[in-house]
Amino acid sequence: MLIAVIPGDGIGPEIMSASLEVLSSIGFFPEYVYLSVGLDKWKRENIAISEDDLDVLKRADAILKAPITTPPSMRNSFSSVTLTIRKELELYANIRPLQSFPISPFKDINIVIIRENTEGLYSGVETFNGKTATTKRIITKKASERIVNFAFQYALNNWRKKITCVHKANIMKMTCGLFKEVFLEVAEKYPEINSDELLVDNCAFQMVSNPENLDVLLTTNMFGDILSDLGAALIGSLGLLGSINIGEKSILFEPVHGTAPDIVGKNIANPTGMIIASTYMLDFFGVKKGEKIRKTINKLFGNRLDLTKDLGGKATTKDFVRTLINLMDN
Ligand code: IPM
Ligand code: MG
C-alpha cells in the first residue's frame, strides 16, 4: 500500500506530522512517499507541482494532503496546487462531513456536504483585458450527472435519507439550471432517497437556523467551498473538519481549512481536521481503528482535555496528540 504524503505549506507540516504520529500509534505502517509541492517548491524551482509529482500522485493508492498556499498576488504565475491536483486526478467529488463534537456551539449537527470538485466558478478560465475581468462558470451535463449519481449512491451506502440540491437557478438559469435539471432527472431513479432543493442563500440561513432538517447537501464547486466553512463554524472551528476527494482512479484526504500563516511554527495549530481526514483514509482501507480515533477525539473534547487555542484552550499541537494517543491506549 503506497500513500503519497503532501506536508504542504504554513501549518501543514505540523499537522501532518501530528497525523502520522497518530497513525503509527495504532500500528498503521504503509509505505509513504513524501512530495514537497506548493509554495516552497515554487520558490526553489519556479514551479509549484510538476508532471512527475502528478505521476507519483496518480500511482499512489491514496493521498494524504495538508493545505497548500495560493498567494493571490502571484495569480498569473501560480495557480492553486490544490485545484490542479483535483482537476488533473479528476477528483470530482468532495465529501465534507459536518458532525458536532461535545465542544461544538451547535449540537446534533449531522450534515454531509457533497461538492462538485472540478468545474463551476473554479474552472480557472479567466480573462482580463485591462478594463473587464471575467471568470467563466462552466457546468457540464457530464460532470453534473457524475456528481449527482455519486451523491445518490453515497446516500444509499451511508444510510442517508435525503439529498438537498443547493443552487441559484432563479438567477443563473443556464449553469445552475442545468445542474438542477440533472438532479431532478437522476433523483427519479432513486425513489428510496428523498430529494428537495434550496437556493444557496436560503441554504446558508437554514444551516444556522434549522440544521436538524438538513441531511446531504449537494452543490456546485464554489457554493460547496463557502458552505463548508459556514458548516465548520457550526461545529466550532475550521480546524475540525476533514474531507475526502474522490475520483474514478484516485482518492485524496485533506482537512478543509487553509495554511493559517499567522500561527505557523508556534506548535498551536489544531490538528483535528488533518487527523479526521486520515481516519477517513483508514476507513477506505478497511482499517477499523479510524472509528476508534474519532471516538477518542470526541472523548477528549467531552472532557475538555487539551483544547487548542482556536477552541479557547492553551494546549499545543503536541499536547493534543499526546493526550489523544494516551486516551486511546486506555
Ligand atoms: C477548500 C479550499 C480550496 C478550495 C482552496 C485552497 C483552493 O478553500 O478546499 O475548501 O477553494 O476548494
Ligand atoms: Mg475552502
Side-chain angles (χ1 to χ4, degrees), residues 26-226:
I26 57 132
F28 184 70
F29 295 108
E31 187 188 341
Y32 289 122
V33 47
Y34 290 82
L35 282 184
S36 125
V37 300
L39 188 60
D40 282 343
K41 184 181 175 100
W42 185 83
K43 283 184 186 154
R44 276 195 322 269
E45 301 172 32
N46 217 15
I47 179 173
I49 184 164
S50 65
E51 286 298 326
D52 286 351
D53 295 328
L54 288 168
D55 282 345
V56 174
L57 294 179
K58 283 177 190 163
R59 277 205 316 273
D61 296 304
I63 304 160
L64 193 58
K65 173 187 165 295
I68 297 176
T69 308
T70 308
S73 56
M74 295 177 190
R75 71 173 184 270
N76 292 326
S77 54
F78 186 97
S79 57
S80 160
V81 174
T82 302
L83 296 191
T84 304
I85 295 173
R86 289 178 190 164
K87 275 189 198 144
E88 290 290 324
L89 274 65
E90 284 208 63
L91 300 169
Y92 65 87
N94 192 331
I95 306 171
R96 301 186 153 183
L98 307 174
Q99 251 152 9
S100 299
F101 292 107
I103 38 89
S104 299
F106 285 70
K107 308 297 171 202
D108 305 322
I109 300 270
N110 186 3
I111 297 172
V112 177
I113 297 180
I114 299 185
R115 161 181 176 192
E116 201 294 323
N117 220 16
T118 59
E119 52 178 33
L121 256 178
Y122 295 177
S123 65
V125 185
E126 302 202 285
T127 60
F128 180 50
N129 66 9
K131 290 191 179 140
T132 307
T134 60
T135 299
K136 237 187 197 169
R137 184 169 200 258
I138 298 174
I139 301 282
T140 62
K141 197 164 183 195
K142 187 171 164 216
S144 303
E145 280 171 355
R146 188 168 63 175
I147 191 72
V148 176
N149 276 296
F150 175 88
F152 278 97
Q153 288 297 336
Y154 177 92
L156 280 181
N157 294 337
N158 292 278
W159 311 102
R160 293 278 167 175
K161 296 199 167 61
K162 181 175 77 168
I163 304 185
T164 304
C165 177
V166 180
H167 60 75
K168 191 77 182 177
N170 54 340
I171 306 298
M172 293 189 279
K173 294 184 197 300
M174 291 291 166
T175 51
C176 272
L178 175 60
F179 191 75
K180 173 182 157 177
E181 192 178 288
V182 170
F183 176 76
L184 295 176
E185 239 172 69
V186 174
E188 285 187 14
K189 290 196 298 180
Y190 296 91
E192 58 278 65
I193 306 288
N194 295 322
S195 54
D196 65 1
E197 47 181 294
L198 276 177
L199 294 174
V200 63
D201 45 352
N202 186 17
C203 178
F205 177 79
Q206 297 298 333
M207 281 176 76
V208 178
S209 52
N210 300 302
E212 65 286 353
N213 292 343
L214 302 173
D215 190 344
V216 175
L217 301 176
L218 168 64
T219 192
T220 47
N221 209 341
M222 190 176 77
F223 294 162
D225 188 19
I226 297 170

Side-chain angles (χ1 to χ4, degrees), residues 94 126 143 250 264 283:
N94 192 331
E126 302 202 285
S250 302
V264 176
D283 296 348

